[in-house]
Every structure is written in C-alpha cells, then in structure tokens.
Amino acid sequence: MPLDQEIENEEEETGGEMSFIGHLEELRWHVIRAAGSILVFAILAFVYIKEIYHYVIIAPSQPDFWTYKMLCLLADKVDYDELCIKALNFKLQAIGMGDQFTMSMTSSVIAGLVFAFPYAFWEIWSFIKPGLKPAEQKSARGAVFYVTFLFFSGVFFGYYVVTPLAINFLANYTLDDSIINEFSLASYISLVATLTLACGIAFQLPIVVFVLSKVGVLTPSFMREYRKHSMIVILIVAAVITPSPDIYSQILVAIPLFLLFEISILVSAKVEREKLREEKRLAKLGGSDL
C-alpha cells in the first residue's frame, strides 16, 4: 500500500488525528522544500558568484569599504585618527589547485542559506504551528517576520561592523615587520562567514528569551537583577569579537548587544503580563462556576 494512502487510512481510524508516521512524513516534505529553496538560491548565487565575490565577499578586505569610510568620518568628529582605517596589510591567495572553485561552491551554499532563510524558516514553522494551542499560536503570531528581521539585522551587523573590525585587527597585527601577511582564501571566507552568521544567530536572543519566558525558565525580574552581570559579559564578548585594543571598536559592538538584552527584558515582561492576565481570567471563570 502506498505511504500516502496508509497515512490517510490511519488518520481516518484516529478521527482525523495524524499518526507519528504521518507527522514524520509531513516533516520530511517541509525539510525537503526548505532544503530545495536553499539549493535554488545556491545555484543562483553560483551563477553570479564573481559579482558576489567582488561586491560582497572581498569588499571588507578593501580600504574603500563603506564601514572604513564611516570610521574615518567618525575619527574626524571625535578627533581620534587611529579609528580611521586607511590600509589593510594583507593579500589573499589561493594555495591549492582547486581552492577557487571549491570556495565558490562553499560561498554559493552560504549565500543560498542566507537568502533562503525566510522561506526555509517558514516551512519549519508551518510544521510546528499546528501543534500549538490556540493561545500559543496567538502569542506567537508574526514569528516568521520577527525571526527573519532579527536574523538579517544580525547578518548586516556582522557584515558591516564585526567583520571589518576583525579583519582590520588581524590584518594589521604582526609579530615582526619582516613577516608578510598572505592569508588563504579559505581562511578569509571562513572568518567572514563565521562572524556574519554568528551575529545572525546571536540576534535571535529576544526570540530565545520569549520561548524561555513562556516555559517559565526566565522572568523579567531575574534579567533585571542580573543586568549588571550581563553588561560585563557583553563587554567581554565585544572584546573577544573585536580583539583590537581600540575602545571605540568595542563600544560599536557592545551597544547593539546591550539593546538586544534590553529588548529581551521587555519581551519577557510582556510574556509575564500575558500570563498574569490569563491567570486572572481563569480565576474569574472558576469563581463564577462556584
């Protein structure tokens, strides 16, 4: 008997409720469509890979990159010349025979993952959402928009702020003047992709706090109580992400992280208010029954 027919028969026998096998089959198709969207965008990226390399991937390695121009303007305003990045002391090289082709394939997959993220997440959410209670579905309304917005905000922050600052520090850090910085193409792409995607994931903090607050693990009072501790952690993270001793670079990274934490507190407080309203509503219903 075909699997689809078997699933339909099982649903009829259980009063329309999908069986475990039926859930797995549905999940499989959601995953296939999500992976298919990534593949489509990866193929499109591979077609235009030279333009993507020139205007996107290699751009942070050039002194005329937008971020470096803005830092020079900021340096003029605060009268701190060291903030202006005028040159990057390194060259990129492809060591292996097939490095450029391999990296073009790798970069295409990464680009496909980034551009297909909204649809891929929507597919996974479409599988999760029917299993939620009506109240949970209502509170999670707009999840695809918020997750996508935060992801791309993190990607842009990682690409335009964190990555250029890290490249500048690593390119100009030398043990001795006789050593020439010639980085492999693979290490450069790994740095750009890691920092950019890591920021995209890190910016999901409000979503993570929302889920943890829903299950009762986090509360706004707990987050406010440890706000000072979180500031220290954020400053440490900013120092690690931007290993440059330049305090302005660390502040540029730390400020958005502080804002994310404060937004997360507001999200947790909103969840707590909704819980209190629901408890009061249930208490009134219980009192009226008596």
Side-chain angles (χ1 to χ4, degrees):
M1 181 183 296
L3 182 58
D4 292 342
Q5 185 63 40
E6 183 179 342
I7 293 172
E8 290 179 4
N9 292 341
E10 290 180 359
E11 289 179 13
E12 291 176 0
E13 292 173 2
T14 58
E17 293 182 1
M18 189 177 294
S19 66
F20 177 73
I21 296 177
H23 280 295
L24 287 179
E25 177 68 10
E26 184 181 3
L27 176 61
R28 182 172 74 92
W29 282 109
H30 282 294
V31 171
I32 288 174
R33 286 192 290 268
S37 67
I38 296 173
L39 178 62
V40 169
F41 278 101
I43 293 172
L44 288 174
F46 186 76
V47 172
Y48 296 99
I49 195 63
K50 289 186 177 180
E51 290 79 5
I52 291 174
Y53 257 81
H54 181 74
Y55 294 106
V56 179
I57 298 176
I58 301 297
S61 68
Q62 304 301 317
D64 61 349
F65 186 57
W66 180 85
T67 303
Y68 304 137
K69 291 180 180 179
M70 295 300 104
L71 286 175
C72 288
L73 291 175
L74 180 61
D76 291 336
K77 291 186 178 296
V78 299
D79 194 23
Y80 186 70
D81 293 337
E82 292 184 12
L83 191 60
C84 182
I85 300 170
K86 298 178 180 178
L88 295 170
N89 184 32
F90 75 99
K91 291 182 179 180
L92 291 177
Q93 58 178 342
I95 300 174
M97 182 71 73
D99 277 5
Q100 293 199 50
F101 178 75
T102 303
M103 287 299 101
S104 66
M105 296 286 288
T106 303
S107 302
S108 298
V109 173
I110 294 172
L113 177 63
V114 171
F115 289 116
F117 179 83
Y119 178 78
F121 178 76
W122 178 81
E123 281 288 351
I124 302 303
W125 179 247
S126 297
F127 173 77
I128 297 173
K129 187 176 180 180
L132 301 177
K133 298 177 181 178
E136 293 173 335
Q137 291 184 10
K138 184 179 179 181
S139 63
R141 190 167 46 196
V144 175
F145 169 78
Y146 291 117
V147 169
T148 301
F149 174 76
L150 290 171
F151 176 76
F152 280 109
S153 297
V155 166
F156 279 106
F157 177 72
Y159 178 74
Y160 283 105
V161 178
V162 178
T163 297
L165 294 176
I167 289 175
N168 172 61
F169 172 77
L170 296 173
N172 291 295
Y173 180 83
T174 56
L175 294 173
D176 190 86
D177 292 338
S178 63
I179 301 174
I180 301 174
N181 285 331
E182 293 183 351
F183 305 134
S184 69
L185 181 62
S187 66
Y188 173 81
I189 292 175
S190 175
L191 176 71
V192 174
T194 300
L195 292 178
T196 302
L197 294 178
C199 288
I201 295 171
F203 269 53
Q204 300 300 317
L205 178 61
I207 303 299
V208 174
V209 169
F210 173 81
V211 174
L212 294 178
S213 298
K214 273 290 184 182
V215 298
V217 175
L218 276 181
T219 61
S221 59
F222 175 84
M223 296 182 70
R224 292 190 185 102
E225 181 181 353
Y226 288 93
R227 179 186 271 124
K228 293 181 179 179
H229 301 78
S230 68
M231 288 182 179
I232 295 174
V233 173
I234 288 173
L235 288 173
I236 294 173
V237 171
V240 171
I241 293 177
T242 57
S244 170
D246 177 17
I247 187 65
Y248 288 103
S249 299
Q250 295 178 17
I251 290 174
L252 285 172
V253 174
I255 287 176
L257 297 179
F258 281 132
L259 291 176
L260 276 176
F261 185 81
E262 292 300 322
I263 291 172
S264 299
I265 293 178
L266 296 176
V267 169
S268 183
K270 183 175 184 295
V271 171
E272 188 175 59
R273 287 195 300 270
E274 289 178 352
K275 283 185 177 180
L276 290 174
R277 281 198 296 266
E278 183 65 17
E279 289 175 1
K280 289 180 180 179
R281 187 182 68 82
L282 293 176
K284 287 181 179 179
L285 289 175
S288 62
D289 291 340
L290 293 174

